[in-house]
Every structure is written in structure tokens, then in C-alpha cells.
Amino acid sequence: MSGSHEISRRDFIKVTTGIVGGLIGAVIGLPAVYYLIDPALQEGGKDSWIPIGKFEDMQIGVPYPFSFTRVQVNGWERTASSFGGYAIRKSDSPEDLLILNSRCTHLACTVNWSAEASGFLCPCHDAKFSIEGAVLDGPPPRALDIYEEHRITDDGLIEIFFKES
Amino acid sequence: MWNNIYNWLDERLGLNDMYTNLLDRPEPKTTWWNTLGSASMFLFIMQGITGIFLTVYYTPSPDHAYDSVQYIMEGVAFGWLIRGIHHWGATLMVILVFVHMLRVYYTASFKYPRELTWLIGIGLFLTTLGMGFTGYLLPWNQKAFWATTVGTQIAGTVPFLGEFILKSLRGGPELSALTLQRFFSAHIWIIPAILVALMGVHLYLIIKHGESHFPTKED
């Protein structure tokens, strides 16, 4: 036992303890991180067509409010989330509908249509949106979101395409 | 550069002294039986870490406790591993602490000046059992429910004070949401706090007195 390859008992124990400890740490630590962030990695998102109202009930130029609830299974519990918006009919054609999401683009409060202000008002931070959804006043960074896809059924129901996030 | 940083810290924190006193202290000739205390402490730390991770998903409510444990086992990535370590670690810890106690008894290591270390060790054994007893209820399955029914009923047979003890443990005359909640609180806050405090004194005493020699024929 001589020369440059010599290693003392103490150093051997130290190195071995370090390696074994590191292995145990990695075997527990990496799965533990995965365990923590797992819900963030779940693919969400069933999509479906959701009826929001009859086309004939919608008057031209008057925002038609609608709301719906989606039930999602989060972990061990079913959670109901509410969504809503306004359909604005522009002409006789069912294609010619603007369907706005009533979720404020600032901090996600719900905006309400006000006929006297002729705009959508947000109660949280005094935001105001036009009937087209454009920002007129207040802090929102962009116009109201739009439900892009909609269709009309044979019964005259308007349905929007909704994808869970 | 690392040396400079280390020296700067060492001058202020006394890292070298700590290392010498905690990990490089003189030992008598020892065997693997002398490692059981350290092994128990290692298991306690593992139980603490995996336990903290379990509370990320576990819910101590009769409505959700069982479902949340099922979710940990089947819904979360590596939930089975975290809970598995916690489950088997608990059993192993009770065994190790007990064997550690037997070793100290058979080698007569509890004698002067280590009587206090021994007494505190008994406290550590009892708190370890307390951890096992309170943790057993938390999955809120049939076995947990009836084991706790029986366990608290046994505590209730104490003369005179029995009914009071039983109601204190259960948070009422019967097992309920209150029982689950207080067992959870005891399991993650009260008993671990006592255990850590006792462990601190236990370790201090071991470092102060050192390990005992195994008795020889002359002893």
C-alpha cells in the first residue's frame, strides 16, 4: 500500500458516505420534485359545444348575456367553475355574431353590460370596454377575449366551442 | 477562491470545530450496534421530509382524507413512493428505536453519567410510538378507524381518569372529524415538536459524554 493510489480509511468512508448520501438524495429528491409539480404538468382540456341561447332571443345591437358552469375533477374533488359572456347580434345572419368572454382581461373579474354607459364595466378597477370589446378606459392590457367558434343548431340554438384550460 | 470563502465562513461559524465535535469525535471500539441511534435519526429526518411532502395533497377531513390518500397513491406522480417511504419508514423507525434501546440496555450504557440520556431516550421511544399511533388514523380507512377506536378505548380503561382521557383523545365521546383533526395536528406539530426537542438534548448529551465502552469482563 504505497504510491499515489493510497487512500486512507477515513477518506474512503467520507467519499463513500458522500456518494451513498448523494444517491439516496437523488433517488428521493428527483421524484419528490416531480411529485410536487405533477398537477402543473397534467394535460387539461376536454372540449365541447355549449349552448348559450336561442338566436331568435338575441336582439340586434343588444348584448345577450349567458353563463355556464363546467365541472372539473381536481385531485379528489369535483370543482364547478363558472364562465360567462355576451353574444352581440349584428344582423339577421347567425354567422354575424360577436361572442365576448365577460372575463376582464385585467385581473379576471367579471364585466357587466351597462346600457346607460353603453359599455361593459368592470367593478374591480373601473375598466370600460366598448360593445365590440375594445378597451375604452381603465387598466386592461387588451380587448375582451372572443369565443371564436360558434354554430347554430337546427333548433335555432347558438352553441360555442369551449375548451377547458 | 472557494478556500477563501470557506475560511471566511469558518472564522465566523466555527465549521471546523463543529465538524470535529459532531462527526470526528473520539469513539471507543464500536460495532454496527452503535449505529442504531444515528439510523433512527436518519429515519426521523426521512419521515419529516416525506411527511411534509404528503401534506401537499393530504386533507385531514372525513370527507376527503381517504380520497386524498387514494389520489396520492394513484393520481400523483411518485405519490406511491413518497407514501411508501413514509409508511414503511414508520414501521422501521419503531423497530430501530426499540432495538437501539435494547442495545443500550444490554451494554449497560445507561449508567452514570448517562442516566439522563437514557431517560430522555425513553421519552423518544414513547413519542415515536405516539407518532405511529396518530399517523395510523390518518388514511381514514377501516383499519385506521377501528384501530383508533380500540386504541382510544384502551386508554379509556385508566381508573378514574379513563373517560376524560378517552374524550380528550377523541375530541368527544366518539370518533369523529374532531378526532381526525386533532390526531393530524398531534402527528405533524405537537409530537414532532416534542420529539425534536428531546432529540436535541439527547444528542447534546451524547456529544458531551461520548459513547460508552462496551463492558469488559472486569466490569
Side-chain angles (χ1 to χ4, degrees):
Chain A
M1 290 292 281
S2 65
S4 57
H5 294 300
E6 193 175 357
I7 178 169
S8 72
R9 269 173 84 109
R10 295 193 151 220
D11 286 342
F12 175 75
I13 291 292
K14 276 182 206 166
V15 170
T16 315
T17 308
I19 292 172
V20 172
L23 274 178
I24 295 174
V27 167
I28 308 297
L30 296 177
V33 170
Y34 194 11
Y35 169 89
L36 274 188
I37 62 175
D38 185 48
L41 303 177
Q42 296 295 327
E43 283 289 320
K46 288 173 293 179
D47 43 42
S48 53
W49 288 93
I50 293 170
I52 59 169
K54 281 199 177 264
F55 184 62
E56 63 189 39
D57 292 342
M58 301 171 185
Q59 296 169 26
I60 294 174
V62 180
Y64 175 87
F66 65 91
S67 64
F68 58 96
T69 306
R70 301 290 293 167
V71 175
Q72 282 173 304
V73 177
N74 291 312
W76 56 92
E77 195 176 47
R78 298 161 70 79
T79 312
S81 313
S82 297
F83 302 89
Y86 289 88
I88 298 120
R89 181 175 165 182
K90 292 174 176 172
S91 67
D92 286 336
S93 163
E95 299 300 313
D96 211 9
L97 266 177
L98 174 67
I99 303 175
L100 295 172
N101 186 333
S102 60
R103 191 181 136 108
C104 182
T105 52
H106 178 223
L107 292 170
C109 297
T110 301
V111 300
N112 298 300
W113 172 252
S114 162
E116 52 191 273
S118 73
F120 294 102
L121 303 180
C122 180
C124 293
H125 303 100
D126 288 337
K128 186 179 177 188
F129 299 89
S130 73
I131 194 167
E132 302 283 329
V135 182
L136 295 180
D137 199 6
R142 59 172 203 277
L144 287 175
D145 292 328
I146 295 168
Y147 288 109
E148 301 277 359
E149 287 182 67
H150 69 271
R151 67 183 184 192
I152 184 162
T153 66
D154 296 341
D155 304 336
L157 270 176
I158 298 292
E159 293 185 333
I160 56 170
F161 183 73
F162 179 78
K163 191 171 183 346
E164 283 168 5
S165 57
Chain B
M1 189 192 70
W2 292 116
N3 258 342
N4 284 337
I5 294 176
Y6 180 80
N7 288 335
W8 191 89
L9 287 172
D10 181 40
E11 276 176 40
R12 285 152 187 83
L13 293 171
L15 295 175
N16 280 339
D17 290 348
M18 240 193 280
Y19 178 78
T20 314
N21 288 319
L22 292 177
L23 296 173
D24 212 2
R25 56 183 199 274
E27 291 274 319
K29 183 155 179 52
T30 50
T31 69
W32 283 100
W33 293 103
N34 295 68
T35 62
L36 291 170
S38 300
S40 305
M41 184 171 81
F42 173 78
L43 275 179
F44 175 73
I45 293 167
M46 284 296 282
Q47 293 300 92
I49 293 170
T50 51
I52 288 169
F53 276 103
L54 286 175
T55 61
V56 175
Y57 296 106
Y58 176 74
T59 309
S61 133
D63 289 341
H64 296 307
Y66 182 79
D67 288 340
S68 65
V69 172
Q70 293 310 110
Y71 180 66
I72 289 170
M73 293 302 282
E74 282 154 24
V76 191
F78 292 110
W80 58 270
L81 180 67
I82 305 285
R83 178 160 178 252
I85 293 170
H86 200 74
H87 177 101
W88 292 106
T91 307
L92 195 58
M93 188 173 159
V94 172
I95 294 172
L96 277 192
V97 170
F98 185 65
V99 177
H100 175 52
M101 196 170 91
L102 286 183
R103 194 282 293 172
V104 171
Y105 179 75
Y106 284 126
T107 59
S109 305
F110 52 85
K111 291 185 178 177
Y112 175 84
R114 300 188 179 83
E115 299 97 323
L116 266 183
T117 324
W118 166 260
L119 286 175
I120 288 165
I122 292 171
L124 283 168
F125 179 58
L126 293 178
T127 43
T128 303
L129 292 183
M131 290 299 285
F133 182 60
T134 50
Y136 204 84
L137 176 67
L138 303 184
W140 202 245
N141 52 27
Q142 286 291 324
K143 203 162 67 161
F145 186 91
W146 293 108
T148 303
T149 304
V150 170
T152 48
Q153 198 76 32
I154 291 171
T157 58
V158 173
F160 307 113
L161 286 175
E163 199 186 336
F164 171 73
I165 293 173
L166 182 139
K167 282 186 180 172
S168 307
L169 286 173
R170 291 184 180 173
E174 300 295 337
L175 246 69
S176 66
L178 287 179
T179 321
L180 182 57
Q181 191 70 43
R182 63 209 286 118
F183 269 50
F184 180 69
S185 170
H187 187 76
I188 72 163
W189 295 119
I190 301 167
I191 304 177
I194 298 169
L195 209 157
V196 166
L198 292 177
M199 207 165 75
V201 184
H202 201 71
L203 286 177
Y204 163 75
L205 289 173
I206 286 159
I207 287 159
K208 176 167 173 57
H209 296 301
E211 291 259 344
S212 69
H213 276 283
F214 280 3
T216 57
K217 277 183 183 164
E218 285 78 58
D219 295 325

